[in-house]
Amino acid sequence: MRSFLSKRVYSALVLSSMLGLVAPAVFAAQTGTTDQGNINQSKKERAQSLGTITVTGTHIRQTDVATAQPIVVVSHDEIEHSGFTNTAELLQNLTVAGTPPISRSNVLLAGEDVGGYYVNLRNLGAARTLVLLNGKRLGANESGLQDLEQIPLAAIDHIEVLKDGASAVYGSDAIAGVVNIITRNHFNGAEASAYYGQYSDNSDGDRQIYSLTFGTSSDRGSIMIAAEYSKEDPVWAKDRWFSRYPATNRHPDAGWSIASQWGVFWNADNGLGDWCGNGAEAACTLNPGGNPFDLNDYHPTHLSGTQDHSNTDLEQMLQTGLKRKAVFVHADYNVTSDITLATDFLYNHRDTLQQIAGYPFQPAFTLPGSPDIIGLSPYSYYDPFGYGPKGNGAGNGLQFYRRGWEVPRTTDSKLTTYRIGSTLTGDFNIGPHLWNWDIGAYTNENQILKIGHGDFSLIALSEALGPSFRDPTTGLVTCGTPASPVPYGATPGSCIPWNPIYPAGQVGDGSLTGHSELQQFLFPFYHTTGSTTTTDYTADITGPVVTLPAGDLAVAAGVERRREAGRYVPDAFSQAALSTNLSSGPTGGSYNVTAYYAEVSVPLLSDVPGAQSLALDLAGRHSHYSTFGNTTDGKYSFTWRPIQTLLVRGTYAQGFRAPQISDLFGGISGTFDYYTDPCDFSHAAGQNADVAKRCTSGFGGQAPVPAGYTQLGQGGQPCSTFPCQTGTQFFAGGTPTLQPETSVTKTAGIVYSPEWAQGLDLTVDWYRIHIDNAITGDSVDSILYDCYVLGVASRCSSSLFTRDPATGVVNTAHYGEKNAGWTETEGWDFGIKYTFPVTSFGLFSVTWNTTYTDYLKSKADNEPTTPVNSFTGWTSPDWGAAFRTRSNATIDWSMGDFGVTWTLRYYSPMKEQCSWDNTAQGGPECNMPQTMHNGETINANEIGSNTFNDVQFRYNTPWNSTISVGANNVFDHFASPLYTAPNSLYAYYGGFDIGRFYYLRYVQDF
């Protein structure tokens, strides 16, 4: 590793030297002083004398950075000192952030969201956090998610995080808060940066980032260009202890799949005793190295334990691979002394690679229009019971489970973003008051191409398993019959027979192992395309109206016209259900919104006893959506300084979130859900008499389950781990009748900067957010829980799910987004920041931020008998991990050219429900006594608190560069397993560090 790092530093130095040669030419191109110079300078001086700035959360220019809204500001230096490689990683580690919306550890996720970096404030979901770029909306995908990592890190000046609702100012989505990315402006010179890092565990997960920024400015304008390339190698599940085996600290055979690479077969005429030997009437598997035509070379398949089962983790990624190329350009030009034209351009290309284990084929597929389940034909050359030359002429075909181990499933998601926008700004005087205005427009387009591989083509599969014979001319086993042969090959119109009895790793006639042409025939590449476009036009004006005794009464007003459009077109195989990939229909739609807003800032008192200042801010916004109609929202806030060093603030904000394109127009798609059936008698039905009665009596018109019912998973086998993946395909899609959700946010806080401790700032903020008519992604888990545990009869409708009348198994499910009930959270934010006086030992500063969540809870509907679900301190499928306390403390020391930053990231203990070994008592990993949670007695597992330590050492060299060396999670700390796998495919929280990560960064300024 050391030599590799030295090579990276050497490369950066060479690049720096080359840039040093061209830098004088860049500076020489700067525009000199023009006739407009004195006019422009006077304009600049006028703005500086006013001391006004625009902060996130208002359009009115401010003179005080301590606003009524609680705001966290992260500087460019703080980003670099953190050691995190992108904006989202940094924001995700803020204490106000909840579970990562799309974790790179959740490699089973599909769709256009995968590969993006999103932030989830207050654990309310990324779609409830609005992201801005220089005060304008960042383009969103069909789900309404905005990728923070579109902007090169080198282009960012600072980030403002508003921890407050702001729909009255910005419109939809600003419920939990707002993230505003502010880019560099009037950048002079050039800067080159190189970064390399990797995990100490197995020396994997390599990350490389190279960036180049240069710019020039004059009295007439400026231009800044930032380009960045980053590459993050995947981390494999087999290389971490918590993801290497499905049974980590659980029941010995938990999580192993019977749909294995070894194969499970049975004869349709039930003549199994003759096949497997010993008169066993059971499914059969070929002995290792056995002859598939020798009936004595089979053994009865072990339906429990790990023999004949598959450890899928051996083929899967723990973290996805990722590549990015991005360019950001900002240019501004002073058209006149009072008018400036600014233009931004963004290009970003993101390439995300996912890999999971080969597809677990099972006897559940048919070709459209055919009732026959696909299996090995009795007329196949490879059926030992069939009518081929080596068969015994007694078979009716073979059904089988066989994982396509030789061809793991991969998805390469390529997303390209183009964004261009221009804003014309200016100022003018009305009497003694200076007013500002701007007119702007931008368009943001995301284009996605997803290339999938590793799913069987059902057309090719049915042909490869159909009738076949050995052609005496070619000596090849050939599809068809001697009278009607099919050309041998993988091209259209051709066919290659497959012998699925051979296990992975065993080469033989018709074996998938080592047969690239057969793999090509059975596993084509699938292509899915999509695009989303945001087009936005705005006009704003702000300025003081009149000077009151306490100061200027200022107003802001504006209008916005925005259009969102999107389409997502799955591969034709998926649309026609002709592959083992989840069937899915196309998504497409658009909507328009026209909005008008106004803000007023009223100074009430100034420089009087008990009120150094007192001001009231009012904001209102009226929006019209083409999809659902009108909404009007208001915001009311105040700031009060009883003394100069103490600020008291508070807000009351109404908010809303409009349904997104995928919510409204999402195509019907197939899914194999992971869920827990409450009617399984090892769960709620065995512990709660009311639940058992609902399940066995057919509550809500459903088919009753038999007493002692056990949930069945893949292969029709009893589930041993929960949630358990169904072997039956369910379906989900959009809901065109969705209405917007509404919210009320309340905050109150103080900011104290005592005179007796210069450099000390203390903040305390209380918040409460209540969301009504919540737009919620439905799930089978949620439907069954509401129906049987909560007793909500409407959730038992046959339009949502049905059960097999004989077995009680859930055999169909159809669901989409819904407006349901409410969600509420309340808590406190605490902040301490202190910069010590300069000493002979250098300059020290301490920052300590803590978020304490009193509660996070929701209700499935508004029925008075429906209980409230609480998530604080627990993991859940809906909320991931809802920590009660998150706290970060950073100590920074600098002396001359040297500096050190040390950060501690604290997560409070977490609980989860457990019963993975399919018993009412729970398995040995249930380390807590039975406890009451959300109205039922459950077995629970608890992990303790976790603290991760980060450190960075830096040195400013004499040749105008900075060298930083650091480690995130320096003590290589790992948390205990969380078997509910919150935001991950594995028994580990998807937001925790997965090992010690070393890095080296070199930045050269010119």
Side-chain angles (χ1 to χ4, degrees):
M1 174 182 173
R2 192 172 301 166
S3 62
F4 194 84
L5 290 174
S6 63
K7 290 179 181 178
R8 287 297 185 272
V9 174
Y10 176 75
S11 299
L13 289 172
V14 171
L15 178 61
S16 303
S17 301
M18 295 172 61
L19 291 171
L21 296 176
V22 301
V26 174
F27 298 134
Q30 295 182 4
T31 305
T33 304
T34 66
D35 293 338
Q36 292 288 332
N38 293 332
I39 299 176
N40 292 329
Q41 185 64 28
S42 63
K43 174 184 173 182
K44 189 180 300 183
E45 290 173 348
R46 192 164 68 242
Q48 290 175 344
S49 66
L50 291 172
T52 60
I53 58 172
T54 300
V55 297
T56 303
T58 179
H59 290 95
I60 298 176
R61 296 180 69 85
Q62 306 286 309
T63 59
D64 190 348
V65 294
T67 65
Q69 297 88 10
I71 295 177
V72 174
V73 180
V74 184
S75 69
H76 184 83
D77 286 343
E78 288 175 310
I79 295 173
E80 292 196 334
H81 293 175
S82 72
F84 294 115
T85 57
N86 55 67
T87 309
E89 278 188 340
L90 178 73
L91 294 177
Q92 189 55 53
N93 280 281
L94 295 178
T95 62
V96 295
T99 294
I102 302 292
S103 165
R104 290 178 62 197
S105 294
N106 208 336
V107 293
L108 196 59
L109 290 179
E112 62 175 320
D113 299 342
V114 174
Y117 282 91
Y118 316 102
V119 64
N120 170 19
L121 298 183
R122 304 294 188 201
N123 227 63
L124 293 176
R128 295 185 177 120
T129 298
L130 179 64
V131 180
L132 307 175
L133 174 61
N134 294 325
K136 306 293 184 181
R137 284 175 174 265
L138 196 63
N141 62 21
E142 290 181 345
S143 303
L145 302 185
Q146 299 163 291
D147 185 3
L148 287 161
E149 213 38 36
Q150 297 180 46
I151 317 302
L153 197 64
I156 297 175
D157 180 77
H158 68 280
I159 302 170
E160 297 177 358
V161 181
L162 173 65
K163 304 179 294 182
D164 192 8
S167 289
V169 179
Y170 299 113
S172 176
D173 310 332
I175 289 179
V178 179
V179 175
N180 192 4
I181 302 172
I182 311 297
T183 58
R184 288 173 163 181
N185 196 3
H186 291 88
F187 181 86
N188 281 294
E191 179 184 275
S193 173
Y195 174 103
Y196 177 77
Q198 63 179 204
Y199 289 101
S200 60
D201 299 74
N202 300 292
S203 298
D204 59 8
D206 294 19
R207 297 186 187 181
Q208 305 173 55
I209 304 175
Y210 305 97
S211 67
L212 175 63
T213 308
F214 60 92
T216 183
S217 64
S218 71
D219 292 332
R220 293 304 301 269
S222 70
I223 184 170
M224 186 272 295
I225 302 174
E228 186 173 274
Y229 170 80
S230 64
K231 179 177 181 290
E232 301 182 29
D233 291 345
V235 176
W236 295 93
K238 60 184 175 61
D239 292 328
R240 294 294 186 276
W241 61 267
F242 59 85
S243 56
R244 186 175 301 128
Y245 299 105
T248 302
N249 287 348
R250 291 195 270 182
H251 192 275
D253 62 350
W256 291 68
S257 172
I258 193 173
S260 71
Q261 64 268 38
W262 319 120
V264 179
F265 310 90
W266 64 92
N267 193 355
D269 67 358
N270 292 324
L272 299 174
D274 296 334
W275 188 11
C276 292
N278 301 321
E281 292 290 338
C284 303
T285 296
L286 186 67
N287 294 330
N291 179 0
F293 295 104
D294 185 348
L295 302 185
N296 295 317
D297 272 357
Y298 291 86
H299 65 269
T301 303
H302 294 77
L303 299 181
S304 62
T306 59
Q307 186 177 347
D308 298 331
H309 287 59
S310 178
N311 176 10
T312 57
D313 293 344
L314 296 179
E315 282 202 322
Q316 300 187 154
M317 292 177 179
L318 169 60
Q319 283 193 350
T320 56
L322 188 67
K323 293 180 183 178
R324 283 183 184 270
K325 294 180 289 186
V327 177
F328 180 80
V329 180
H330 173 82
D332 56 68
Y333 177 72
N334 297 326
V335 180
T336 69
S337 60
D338 299 313
I339 299 176
T340 300
L341 174 66
T343 299
D344 291 337
F345 170 78
L346 170 67
Y347 165 81
N348 179 77
H349 179 79
R350 184 185 80 210
D351 200 333
T352 308
L353 180 64
Q354 300 166 271
Q355 179 173 309
I356 57 176
Y359 189 84
F361 182 82
Q362 52 191 296
F365 292 95
T366 62
L367 286 174
S370 172
D372 298 328
I373 293 176
I374 296 175
L376 186 62
S377 168
Y379 296 98
S380 169
Y381 179 86
Y382 298 124
D383 185 353
F385 278 97
Y387 302 103
K390 294 192 176 183
N392 64 9
N396 291 324
L398 292 180
Q399 303 298 338
F400 62 90
Y401 293 87
R402 172 64 157 83
R403 188 175 292 274
W405 191 263
E406 294 86 343
V407 185
R409 284 170 288 172
T410 60
T411 303
D412 189 3
S413 301
K414 302 176 183 294
L415 180 73
T416 304
T417 299
Y418 300 94
R419 178 189 177 100
I420 186 168
S422 292
T423 304
L424 201 62
T425 62
D427 57 51
F428 61 92
N429 288 91
I430 299 180
H433 301 299
L434 181 67
W435 284 65
N436 306 100
W437 59 268
D438 69 75
I439 300 173
Y442 75 86
T443 182
N444 192 108
E445 183 175 3
N446 297 320
Q447 299 176 352
I448 189 167
L449 169 64
K450 297 178 75 71
I451 303 173
H453 190 229
D455 274 288
F456 291 93
S457 161
L458 296 184
I459 297 174
L461 195 63
S462 63
E463 293 173 349
L465 299 173
S468 59
F469 68 101
R470 187 176 294 278
D471 190 327
T473 304
T474 63
L476 299 172
V477 178
T478 303
C479 296
T481 64
S484 182
V486 179
Y488 186 94
T491 58
S494 302
C495 175
I496 301 175
W498 178 34
N499 184 356
I501 298 176
Y502 273 123
Q506 186 170 340
V507 177
D509 203 2
S511 169
L512 194 59
T513 299
H515 199 325
S516 59
E517 197 172 12
L518 176 58
Q519 293 177 12
Q520 180 184 348
F521 177 61
L522 292 178
F523 302 98
F525 286 88
Y526 305 96
H527 297 80
T528 294
T529 61
S531 68
T532 55
T533 302
T534 301
T535 306
D536 190 78
Y537 304 92
T538 58
D540 308 278
I541 188 170
T542 180
V545 176
V546 63
T547 299
L548 302 177
D552 289 338
L553 186 151
V555 301
V559 60
E560 178 184 13
R561 173 72 174 177
R562 179 163 54 91
R563 183 175 188 270
E564 302 280 358
R567 63 175 181 84
Y568 189 72
V569 184
D571 187 277
F573 276 79
S574 296
Q575 294 190 50
L578 292 175
S579 76
T580 55
N581 192 11
L582 298 175
S583 60
S584 57
T587 294
S590 64
Y591 64 84
N592 300 313
V593 56
T594 302
Y596 307 90
Y597 81 87
E599 296 181 58
V600 180
S601 180
V602 185
L604 301 176
L605 296 173
S606 178
D607 297 325
V608 299
Q612 291 293 310
S613 65
L614 176 64
L616 179 67
D617 297 321
L618 309 174
R621 188 182 187 95
H622 177 80
S623 304
H624 175 78
Y625 279 76
S626 60
T627 46
F628 62 81
N630 299 318
T631 179
T632 301
D633 303 278
K635 184 171 184 176
Y636 316 93
S637 57
F638 74 91
T639 56
W640 170 43
R641 287 189 181 272
I643 57 177
Q644 188 61 37
T645 57
L646 178 66
L647 173 74
V648 181
R649 61 192 180 190
T651 65
Y652 176 92
Q654 297 170 321
F656 76 100
R657 181 167 75 94
Q660 301 300 317
I661 290 171
S662 62
D663 299 332
L664 298 166
F665 312 115
I668 302 298
S669 301
T671 174
F672 287 90
D673 279 30
Y674 284 84
Y675 70 98
T676 300
D677 192 339
C679 292
D680 185 316
F681 273 75
S682 68
H683 292 103
Q687 303 165 22
N688 186 308
D690 291 335
V691 174
K693 182 178 179 180
R694 294 185 190 112
C695 292
T696 56
S697 66
F699 180 69
Q702 285 293 335
V705 304
Y709 162 80
T710 298
Q711 181 180 345
L712 302 182
Q714 288 194 340
Q717 298 302 309
C719 295
S720 60
T721 63
F722 296 90
C724 180
Q725 188 177 25
T726 175
T728 304
Q729 187 171 205
F730 300 151
F731 294 91
T735 306
T737 57
L738 277 178
Q739 296 296 302
E741 61 185 22
T742 59
S743 68
V744 171
T745 300
K746 301 174 184 177
T747 69
I750 60 173
V751 180
Y752 182 46
S753 304
E755 293 181 350
W756 48 266
Q758 293 295 320
L760 175 63
D761 294 306
L762 305 173
T763 61
V764 179
D765 287 291
W766 166 85
Y767 67 88
R768 178 186 292 166
I769 304 172
H770 182 91
I771 302 170
D772 278 317
N773 212 30
I775 300 174
T776 305
D778 215 348
S779 66
V780 176
D781 232 0
S782 178
I783 292 169
L784 297 179
Y785 187 88
D786 293 348
C787 171
Y788 294 107
V789 178
L790 304 184
V792 182
S794 61
R795 297 285 279 165
C796 305
S797 168
S798 59
S799 64
L800 294 175
F801 74 98
T802 62
R803 290 186 181 273
D804 186 295
T807 65
V809 171
V810 177
N811 54 9
T812 69
H814 299 81
Y815 55 90
E817 302 293 298
K818 61 176 181 176
N819 290 110
W822 53 261
T823 296
E824 185 172 286
T825 185
E826 180 179 338
W828 297 80
D829 295 326
F830 305 92
I832 300 175
K833 188 170 184 178
Y834 184 42
T835 300
F836 291 81
V838 179
T839 69
S840 59
F841 299 102
L843 178 65
F844 289 87
S845 65
V846 176
T847 303
W848 185 11
N849 292 306
T850 299
T851 295
Y852 177 84
T853 303
D854 279 341
Y855 61 79
L856 172 64
K857 57 187 181 181
S858 71
K859 195 174 180 183
D861 56 33
N862 295 317
E863 297 295 329
T865 57
T866 302
V868 173
N869 293 324
S870 176
F871 304 101
T872 308
W874 290 79
T875 69
S876 76
D878 296 322
W879 301 99
F883 297 98
R884 183 171 293 278
T885 304
R886 288 192 60 180
S887 185
N888 294 343
T890 299
I891 303 173
D892 188 86
W893 169 82
S894 60
M895 183 174 181
D897 292 324
F898 295 90
V900 179
T901 301
W902 191 288
T903 299
L904 297 90
R905 295 175 281 124
Y906 169 84
Y907 300 81
S908 61
M910 185 61 53
K911 300 175 185 176
E912 63 182 351
Q913 183 173 355
C914 60
S915 56
W916 305 284
D917 65 348
N918 207 19
T919 65
Q921 292 75 33
E925 61 282 342
C926 294
N927 59 18
M928 292 182 63
Q930 285 195 333
T931 183
M932 287 292 295
H933 180 57
N934 291 337
E936 61 176 321
T937 302
I938 63 168
N939 303 295
N941 176 56
E942 182 178 26
I943 68 169
S945 62
N946 289 275
T947 301
F948 300 92
N949 289 262
D950 309 325
V951 65
Q952 182 189 94
F953 302 89
R954 58 188 178 273
Y955 170 59
N956 298 322
T957 70
W959 56 89
N960 205 26
S961 69
T962 302
I963 300 173
S964 304
V965 178
N968 291 338
N969 190 15
V970 65
F971 296 125
D972 201 23
H973 174 74
F974 284 91
S976 299
L978 277 168
Y979 304 105
T980 46
N983 198 236
S984 176
L985 191 61
Y986 309 99
Y988 198 74
Y989 171 52
F992 282 156
D993 297 45
I994 61 169
R996 180 192 298 114
F997 189 84
Y998 291 117
Y999 65 88
L1000 169 67
R1001 175 185 283 119
Y1002 182 85
V1003 180
Q1004 179 69 57
D1005 292 318
F1006 302 92

